[in-house]
Amino acid sequence: MEAYRIGLDVGSTTAKAVVLDAQGRVVFSDYERHRADVFNAVSSLFGRLEAAMGDVPAVLSVTGSVGMGFAERFSLPFVQEVTATVRAVRELYPGISTIIDIGGEDAKIVYLTAEGGADMRMNGNCAGGTGAFIDQMASLLGVEIDDLETLAQGAKRLYPIASRCGVFSKTDVQNLVAKNIGKEDIAGSIFHAIAVQTVVTLSHGCEINPKILFCGGPLTFIPQLRKAFVNYLHLDPEDVITPENANLIPAWGTALSCPEGEQASPVARIREKLAQSGRVEGL
């Protein structure tokens, strides 16, 4: 039996996996927030993988900010996240010029060239304008993230919010609340602020040219955030694409990047290997 290829992406807030068969087709994918309990989240993910596919032979590569520690600890192949993302985008979505990726605690814009090059700009020093920022803003308004999306649909006016810094943005939002500004307008202003912050900070010296691909959890699951980018950049609908399961693209690219000739192991054995730290209960 030919080995399956598993791409495991463990980021600051979530764990994702994509499994490819010998023809490169996705046969399994999964996604969950690990809530800082990374080992149990990954173990649970592999448990679901084994339940769905059986104890099939597989090779594994890892990506993500937390995934680097996994790779080092268990001597697993590691793929840098942007490299994995570019690999997947170039193979699956040819013609893309710009990738905009909002993660749990970082934001990235990757500029692709026709010659095969890539220039990446990242905001990794502050969680402002990221998934963590959105969580904080929703909490400040006393709503869930899904409610923030619903509220933003009814926004009539946008107000300035300093998304570059969580402290400043909190003050701005509190001032808007104190002025009895509607939550709909505040929610819309939050998403607009993220778009402005990302573009202004990460586009210096580079053109954000269509066609643009959105990826990362926030841009995958929050349509009003995508709309904020489209409006701020004055894009037409055909200028952008958000693939189904766009949050899984780095894991997909990591699976595609599994080294040729790597020794395959049963999924159960991989799962046991990842549980060797002793921090995973019930294994």
Side-chain angles (χ1 to χ4, degrees), residues 223-237:
Q224 288 298 309
L225 178 58
R226 300 197 299 269
K227 182 180 178 181
F229 276 91
V230 168
N231 289 343
Y232 182 67
L233 292 169
H234 305 291
L235 299 171
D236 293 323

Side-chain angles (χ1 to χ4, degrees), residues 21-105:
D21 65 12
Q23 287 72 45
R25 297 172 298 201
V26 176
V27 293
F28 176 88
S29 63
D30 206 347
Y31 165 97
E32 72 170 274
R33 287 197 172 216
H34 56 61
R35 305 185 189 279
D37 189 2
V38 176
F39 282 87
N40 274 318
V42 171
S43 175
S44 175
L45 190 156
F46 268 82
R48 293 191 295 275
L49 190 164
E50 186 179 357
M53 298 186 59
D55 195 16
V56 296
V59 294
L60 170 68
S61 288
V62 186
T63 193
S65 56
V66 178
M68 180 179 291
F70 262 90
E72 291 176 351
R73 184 174 195 127
F74 301 113
S75 300
L76 295 167
F78 179 78
V79 183
Q80 203 278 335
E81 184 178 352
V82 173
T83 300
T85 299
V86 170
R87 171 73 183 270
V89 170
R90 286 200 182 279
E91 187 159 328
L92 303 169
Y93 304 101
I96 295 297
S97 296
T98 310
I99 303 168
I100 299 179
D101 181 348
I102 305 294
E105 293 185 356

